[in-house]
mmCIF file of all heavy atoms in Angstrom:
data_model
loop_
_atom_site.group_PDB
_atom_site.id
_atom_site.type_symbol
_atom_site.label_atom_id
_atom_site.label_comp_id
_atom_site.label_asym_id
_atom_site.label_seq_id
_atom_site.Cartn_x
_atom_site.Cartn_y
_atom_site.Cartn_z
ATOM 1 N N LEU A 1 0.845 -1.204 -0.002
ATOM 2 C CA LEU A 1 -0.008 0.001 0.007
ATOM 3 C C LEU A 1 0.871 1.243 0.006
ATOM 4 O O LEU A 1 1.877 1.326 0.714
ATOM 5 C CB LEU A 1 -0.910 0.015 1.237
ATOM 6 C CG LEU A 1 -1.994 -1.060 1.309
ATOM 7 C CD1 LEU A 1 -2.733 -0.985 2.640
ATOM 8 C CD2 LEU A 1 -2.982 -0.909 0.144
ATOM 9 N N PRO A 2 0.505 2.301 -0.735
ATOM 10 C CA PRO A 2 1.313 3.532 -0.778
ATOM 11 C C PRO A 2 1.304 4.287 0.548
ATOM 12 O O PRO A 2 2.200 5.089 0.801
ATOM 13 C CB PRO A 2 0.644 4.352 -1.883
ATOM 14 C CG PRO A 2 -0.743 3.819 -1.999
ATOM 15 C CD PRO A 2 -0.651 2.350 -1.655
ATOM 16 N N GLN A 3 0.311 4.027 1.399
ATOM 17 C CA GLN A 3 0.226 4.726 2.684
ATOM 18 C C GLN A 3 1.137 4.100 3.740
ATOM 19 O O GLN A 3 1.309 4.671 4.828
ATOM 20 C CB GLN A 3 -1.219 4.695 3.241
ATOM 21 C CG GLN A 3 -2.252 5.375 2.361
ATOM 22 C CD GLN A 3 -2.863 4.439 1.353
ATOM 23 O OE1 GLN A 3 -2.333 3.342 1.108
ATOM 24 N NE2 GLN A 3 -3.977 4.849 0.754
ATOM 25 N N VAL A 4 1.711 2.948 3.445
ATOM 26 C CA VAL A 4 2.492 2.181 4.448
ATOM 27 C C VAL A 4 3.967 2.344 4.192
ATOM 28 O O VAL A 4 4.465 2.185 3.078
ATOM 29 C CB VAL A 4 2.073 0.694 4.392
ATOM 30 C CG1 VAL A 4 2.966 -0.130 5.329
ATOM 31 C CG2 VAL A 4 0.635 0.556 4.809
ATOM 32 N N ALA A 5 4.697 2.636 5.295
ATOM 33 C CA ALA A 5 6.171 2.790 5.202
ATOM 34 C C ALA A 5 6.878 1.474 5.469
ATOM 35 O O ALA A 5 7.848 1.116 4.823
ATOM 36 C CB ALA A 5 6.659 3.862 6.187
ATOM 37 N N SER A 6 6.405 0.712 6.489
ATOM 38 C CA SER A 6 7.042 -0.557 6.826
ATOM 39 C C SER A 6 6.054 -1.439 7.536
ATOM 40 O O SER A 6 5.057 -0.975 8.110
ATOM 41 C CB SER A 6 8.281 -0.319 7.716
ATOM 42 O OG SER A 6 7.896 0.237 8.943
ATOM 43 N N VAL A 7 6.327 -2.757 7.521
ATOM 44 C CA VAL A 7 5.482 -3.745 8.169
ATOM 45 C C VAL A 7 6.367 -4.713 8.960
ATOM 46 O O VAL A 7 7.397 -5.191 8.425
ATOM 47 C CB VAL A 7 4.644 -4.536 7.132
ATOM 48 C CG1 VAL A 7 3.781 -5.583 7.836
ATOM 49 C CG2 VAL A 7 3.771 -3.617 6.289
ATOM 50 N N THR A 8 5.964 -4.987 10.203
ATOM 51 C CA THR A 8 6.658 -5.966 11.031
ATOM 52 C C THR A 8 5.651 -7.006 11.489
ATOM 53 O O THR A 8 4.635 -6.674 12.081
ATOM 54 C CB THR A 8 7.294 -5.289 12.267
ATOM 55 O OG1 THR A 8 8.158 -4.235 11.831
ATOM 56 C CG2 THR A 8 8.088 -6.291 13.089
ATOM 57 N N GLY A 9 5.947 -8.269 11.167
ATOM 58 C CA GLY A 9 5.015 -9.339 11.527
ATOM 59 C C GLY A 9 5.700 -10.468 12.260
ATOM 60 O O GLY A 9 6.874 -10.362 12.634
ATOM 61 N N PRO A 10 4.978 -11.556 12.481
ATOM 62 C CA PRO A 10 5.562 -12.702 13.204
ATOM 63 C C PRO A 10 6.814 -13.259 12.546
ATOM 64 O O PRO A 10 7.670 -13.815 13.236
ATOM 65 C CB PRO A 10 4.431 -13.715 13.192
ATOM 66 C CG PRO A 10 3.177 -12.933 12.976
ATOM 67 C CD PRO A 10 3.581 -11.782 12.109
ATOM 68 N N GLU A 11 6.937 -13.121 11.225
ATOM 69 C CA GLU A 11 8.131 -13.633 10.549
ATOM 70 C C GLU A 11 9.387 -12.847 10.934
ATOM 71 O O GLU A 11 10.496 -13.374 10.922
ATOM 72 C CB GLU A 11 7.940 -13.565 9.037
ATOM 73 C CG GLU A 11 6.817 -14.497 8.527
ATOM 74 C CD GLU A 11 6.665 -14.396 7.015
ATOM 75 O OE1 GLU A 11 7.345 -13.536 6.415
ATOM 76 O OE2 GLU A 11 5.866 -15.171 6.457
ATOM 77 N N GLN A 12 9.199 -11.563 11.304
ATOM 78 C CA GLN A 12 10.348 -10.739 11.698
ATOM 79 C C GLN A 12 10.623 -10.791 13.204
ATOM 80 O O GLN A 12 11.752 -10.533 13.625
ATOM 81 C CB GLN A 12 10.113 -9.281 11.269
ATOM 82 C CG GLN A 12 10.196 -9.020 9.793
ATOM 83 C CD GLN A 12 8.939 -9.454 9.059
ATOM 84 O OE1 GLN A 12 7.845 -9.378 9.581
ATOM 85 N NE2 GLN A 12 9.130 -9.944 7.823
ATOM 86 N N SER A 13 9.590 -11.050 13.994
ATOM 87 C CA SER A 13 9.784 -11.035 15.454
ATOM 88 C C SER A 13 8.903 -12.108 16.111
ATOM 89 O O SER A 13 7.669 -12.092 15.952
ATOM 90 C CB SER A 13 9.420 -9.655 16.025
ATOM 91 O OG SER A 13 9.485 -9.658 17.434
ATOM 92 N N ALA A 14 9.526 -12.986 16.843
ATOM 93 C CA ALA A 14 8.772 -14.037 17.538
ATOM 94 C C ALA A 14 7.954 -13.485 18.681
ATOM 95 O O ALA A 14 7.019 -14.134 19.171
ATOM 96 C CB ALA A 14 9.740 -15.107 18.064
ATOM 97 N N ASP A 15 8.263 -12.257 19.134
ATOM 98 C CA ASP A 15 7.492 -11.636 20.223
ATOM 99 C C ASP A 15 6.094 -11.268 19.771
ATOM 100 O O ASP A 15 5.244 -10.926 20.625
ATOM 101 C CB ASP A 15 8.208 -10.365 20.714
ATOM 102 C CG ASP A 15 9.497 -10.694 21.465
ATOM 103 O OD1 ASP A 15 9.585 -11.827 22.011
ATOM 104 O OD2 ASP A 15 10.398 -9.842 21.504
ATOM 105 N N LEU A 16 5.827 -11.347 18.471
ATOM 106 C CA LEU A 16 4.503 -10.978 17.966
ATOM 107 C C LEU A 16 3.591 -12.185 17.785
ATOM 108 O O LEU A 16 2.611 -12.127 17.052
ATOM 109 C CB LEU A 16 4.660 -10.233 16.625
ATOM 110 C CG LEU A 16 5.464 -8.907 16.700
ATOM 111 C CD1 LEU A 16 5.565 -8.255 15.324
ATOM 112 C CD2 LEU A 16 4.822 -7.954 17.710
ATOM 113 N N ILE A 17 3.931 -13.295 18.453
ATOM 114 C CA ILE A 17 3.120 -14.509 18.432
ATOM 115 C C ILE A 17 2.713 -14.863 19.853
ATOM 116 O O ILE A 17 3.515 -14.744 20.787
ATOM 117 C CB ILE A 17 3.893 -15.694 17.792
ATOM 118 C CG1 ILE A 17 4.299 -15.361 16.363
ATOM 119 C CG2 ILE A 17 3.063 -16.950 17.827
ATOM 120 C CD1 ILE A 17 5.169 -16.410 15.714
ATOM 121 N N ALA A 18 1.468 -15.273 20.032
ATOM 122 C CA ALA A 18 0.978 -15.626 21.352
ATOM 123 C C ALA A 18 -0.004 -16.797 21.247
ATOM 124 O O ALA A 18 -0.439 -17.171 20.154
ATOM 125 C CB ALA A 18 0.311 -14.415 22.031
ATOM 126 N N ASP A 19 -0.337 -17.338 22.418
ATOM 127 C CA ASP A 19 -1.316 -18.430 22.513
ATOM 128 C C ASP A 19 -0.945 -19.603 21.590
ATOM 129 O O ASP A 19 -1.793 -20.134 20.854
ATOM 130 C CB ASP A 19 -2.736 -17.907 22.178
ATOM 131 C CG ASP A 19 -3.810 -18.909 22.595
ATOM 132 O OD1 ASP A 19 -3.525 -19.763 23.463
ATOM 133 O OD2 ASP A 19 -4.930 -18.817 22.038
ATOM 134 N N GLY A 20 0.319 -19.991 21.659
ATOM 135 C CA GLY A 20 0.753 -21.164 20.878
ATOM 136 C C GLY A 20 0.682 -20.964 19.390
ATOM 137 O O GLY A 20 0.544 -21.944 18.645
ATOM 138 N N GLY A 21 0.716 -19.730 18.913
ATOM 139 C CA GLY A 21 0.672 -19.463 17.485
ATOM 140 C C GLY A 21 -0.693 -19.163 16.957
ATOM 141 O O GLY A 21 -0.840 -18.839 15.768
ATOM 142 N N ARG A 22 -1.705 -19.234 17.796
ATOM 143 C CA ARG A 22 -3.085 -18.972 17.327
ATOM 144 C C ARG A 22 -3.381 -17.462 17.264
ATOM 145 O O ARG A 22 -4.407 -17.083 16.685
ATOM 146 C CB ARG A 22 -4.092 -19.681 18.235
ATOM 147 C CG ARG A 22 -4.163 -21.187 18.023
ATOM 148 C CD ARG A 22 -5.263 -21.830 18.859
ATOM 149 N NE ARG A 22 -4.882 -21.823 20.271
ATOM 150 C CZ ARG A 22 -4.190 -22.794 20.874
ATOM 151 N NH1 ARG A 22 -3.797 -23.849 20.153
ATOM 152 N NH2 ARG A 22 -3.901 -22.751 22.150
ATOM 153 N N ILE A 23 -2.567 -16.661 17.873
ATOM 154 C CA ILE A 23 -2.726 -15.201 17.833
ATOM 155 C C ILE A 23 -1.427 -14.582 17.337
ATOM 156 O O ILE A 23 -0.335 -14.935 17.791
ATOM 157 C CB ILE A 23 -3.079 -14.622 19.220
ATOM 158 C CG1 ILE A 23 -4.389 -15.244 19.750
ATOM 159 C CG2 ILE A 23 -3.207 -13.104 19.153
ATOM 160 C CD1 ILE A 23 -4.758 -14.785 21.143
ATOM 161 N N ALA A 24 -1.553 -13.646 16.427
ATOM 162 C CA ALA A 24 -0.377 -12.970 15.886
ATOM 163 C C ALA A 24 -0.667 -11.486 15.773
ATOM 164 O O ALA A 24 -1.833 -11.053 15.637
ATOM 165 C CB ALA A 24 -0.007 -13.524 14.497
ATOM 166 N N LEU A 25 0.384 -10.693 15.847
ATOM 167 C CA LEU A 25 0.261 -9.247 15.756
ATOM 168 C C LEU A 25 1.109 -8.754 14.596
ATOM 169 O O LEU A 25 2.269 -9.110 14.466
ATOM 170 C CB LEU A 25 0.728 -8.575 17.060
ATOM 171 C CG LEU A 25 0.492 -7.084 17.181
ATOM 172 C CD1 LEU A 25 -1.002 -6.787 17.298
ATOM 173 C CD2 LEU A 25 1.244 -6.502 18.384
#
């Protein structure tokens, strides 16, 4: 998207995963 500068997800940081992988940020 042109409005977005950067994206950080579970692939970049394991801290963004919870509940055994059923929740991600």
Side-chain angles (χ1 to χ4, degrees):
L1 293 175
Q3 299 90 345
V4 174
S6 64
V7 179
T8 304
E11 295 180 354
Q12 289 78 32
S13 175
D15 290 335
L16 299 180
I17 300 175
D19 193 21
R22 286 184 289 271
I23 300 177
L25 188 69

